[in-house]
Amino acid sequence: MTRQGLRKPPIPPIRPLPFPDIQGFAIMAIEHTFSIIKPDATRRNLTGKINAVFEEAGLRIVAQKRIHMSPAQAESFYGVHRERPFFKDLVSFMISGPVVVQVLEGENAVARNRELMGATNPANAAPGTIRKLFAENIEANSVHGSDSAENAAIEIAYFFAGSEIVG
Ligand code: CMP
């Protein structure tokens, strides 16, 4: 047998599989994520169009309110970006008009919402995403969505009491 013939077959790449329940259906995680419809979108009356994207994708809006953020709220919410050069402008933008803060519920809601939003910079966003459809630029990018389930819980608690979330 040639050395070629003795070679071990290549190890197939490990692919995470959804864990099937007893009926063979995949068990998916029902999650909550936090969303903001930003001032550029409320100014152009796009709340309904953006909500339609969420709902058509199977995400349920289980809490929602239209608020005008205070400077302190915006600074604290985006505190992780405090040292970034765009921080001051970002805070000014977020308090420039009303926003709609929301809790979205659904299977893998955090990742699903990030897919629906598209890249932060609309110039890099995929066709059909909210930011490609509606965003004006990297700052006025129409929507915010949590980047992890852990941050979603923190962001939701920042704007909503548990009693306001009605699934
Ligand atoms: P968001 O997902 O809300 O999180 C941080 C926000 O900072 C981001 O969307 C943008 O609106 C805003 N931002 C402004 N300038 C930049 C930049 N150069 N890089 C990343 N985010 C930016």
Side-chain angles (χ1 to χ4, degrees):
M1 197 176 282
T2 62
R3 290 184 68 78
Q4 180 78 7
L6 285 173
R7 200 182 286 159
K8 283 189 186 160
I11 299 166
I14 296 168
R15 194 160 52 93
L17 293 172
F19 188 80
D21 69 8
I22 50 171
Q23 291 171 312
F25 294 107
I27 295 172
M28 305 292 276
I30 298 294
E31 284 180 338
H32 283 167
T33 192
F34 178 71
S35 163
I36 306 178
I37 301 179
K38 295 187 180 184
D40 66 287
T42 60
R43 176 170 45 77
R44 288 174 291 148
N45 221 13
L46 291 171
T47 300
K49 285 198 171 124
I50 291 172
N51 280 348
V53 174
F54 297 144
E55 292 185 340
E56 278 161 25
L59 293 177
R60 188 175 295 276
I61 302 161
V62 293
Q64 173 169 263
K65 56 191 169 191
R66 184 173 167 106
I67 62 168
H68 202 134
M69 274 195 206
S70 68
Q73 269 180 315
E75 280 171 19
S76 173
F77 182 78
Y78 279 119
V80 67
H81 297 304
R82 198 173 292 277
E83 303 306 322
R84 309 285 288 274
F86 57 82
F87 179 70
K88 225 171 137 225
D89 286 346
L90 174 61
V91 169
S92 300
F93 167 64
M94 291 302 291
I95 63 172
S96 68
V99 298
V100 178
V101 291
Q102 307 176 301
V103 181
L104 308 179
E105 179 183 88
E107 285 174 0
N108 298 315
V110 172
R112 186 79 187 104
N113 185 36
R114 290 183 74 80
E115 279 171 16
L116 295 174
M117 290 193 302
T120 304
N121 186 344
N124 303 327
T129 59
I130 293 170
R131 285 167 171 159
K132 189 54 140 192
L133 288 169
F134 303 122
E136 293 180 323
N137 54 56
I138 193 169
E139 179 180 88
N141 64 355
S142 298
V143 279
H144 164 85
S146 308
D147 62 3
S148 66
E150 192 187 7
N151 282 338
I154 295 167
E155 293 176 359
I156 289 168
Y158 195 71
F159 288 99
F160 291 98
S163 59
E164 293 178 294
I165 301 165
V166 183

